[in-house]
């Protein structure tokens, strides 16, 4: 029984040490000043400003290739609804125009990457 406790304790320390060592890779913090949500091990960071909407994707902390990606964003501000198509723009998906981006606005984005099944991410703007 003592060996089992020792083995269990050693395993817990190994897992905790590994998690701490890789903490920055999996931090769900904004890197571009937006709002972050996680869906299926992918971080989605939405930056919504009155003239531009940008979406960055990170797969296990590393930037995802968005060259063959597209997204449909729906902004819900009170009774107003706005649909926006996001297209690749370097390392992110982006659209320019006039957007309602007040604090409390809800955003839903459906992302398609290179023929894979679509993923849906939800945000509340701050």
């Amino acid at each position: 029984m003592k060996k089992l406790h020792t083995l269990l304790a050693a395993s817990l320390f190994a897992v905790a040490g590994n998690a701490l060592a890789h903490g920055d890779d999996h931090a769900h913090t904004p890197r571009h000043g937006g709002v972050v949500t996680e869906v299926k091990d992918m971080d989605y960071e939405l930056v919504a400003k009155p003239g531009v909407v940008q979406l960055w994707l990170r797969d296990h902390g590393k930037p995802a290739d968005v060259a063959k990606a597209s997204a449909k964003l729906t902004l819900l501000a009170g009774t107003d609804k706005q649909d926006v198509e996001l297209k690749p723009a370097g390392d992110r998906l982006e659209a320019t125009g006039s957007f309602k981006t007040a604090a409390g606005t809800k955003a839903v984005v459906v992302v398609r990457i290179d023929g894979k099944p679509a993923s849906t991410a939800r945000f509340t703007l701050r």
Side-chain angles (χ1 to χ4, degrees), residues 1 24 33 35 56 66 89 116 119:
M1 187 68 157
D24 289 342
V35 181
W56 277 270
V66 296
K116 295 179 184 174
S119 292

Side-chain angles (χ1 to χ4, degrees), residues 3-109:
K3 288 182 181 182
L4 179 61
H5 285 149
T6 303
L7 179 63
L8 181 59
S11 297
L12 287 174
F13 283 120
V15 169
N18 192 33
L20 290 173
H22 293 94
D24 289 342
D25 289 344
H26 301 292
H28 305 293
T29 58
R31 295 184 183 173
H32 304 282
V35 181
V36 176
T37 191
E38 180 188 18
V39 178
K40 298 180 184 175
D41 293 330
M42 179 86 73
D43 283 348
Y44 296 81
E45 181 176 356
L46 179 67
V47 175
K49 298 178 183 177
V52 66
V53 176
Q54 301 167 318
L55 182 69
W56 277 270
L57 296 109
R58 291 189 306 267
D59 187 1
H60 292 92
K62 296 184 171 89
D65 182 7
V66 296
K68 295 180 181 177
S70 65
K72 179 183 174 188
L73 172 72
T74 301
L75 295 170
L76 303 166
T79 58
D80 294 334
K81 177 182 172 185
Q82 184 177 17
D83 291 321
V84 180
E85 292 293 325
L86 302 175
K87 302 289 183 187
D91 60 349
R92 65 196 172 278
L93 297 171
E94 182 176 280
T96 57
S98 179
F99 309 108
K100 293 187 178 184
T101 59
T105 297
K106 306 289 184 196
V108 179
V109 64

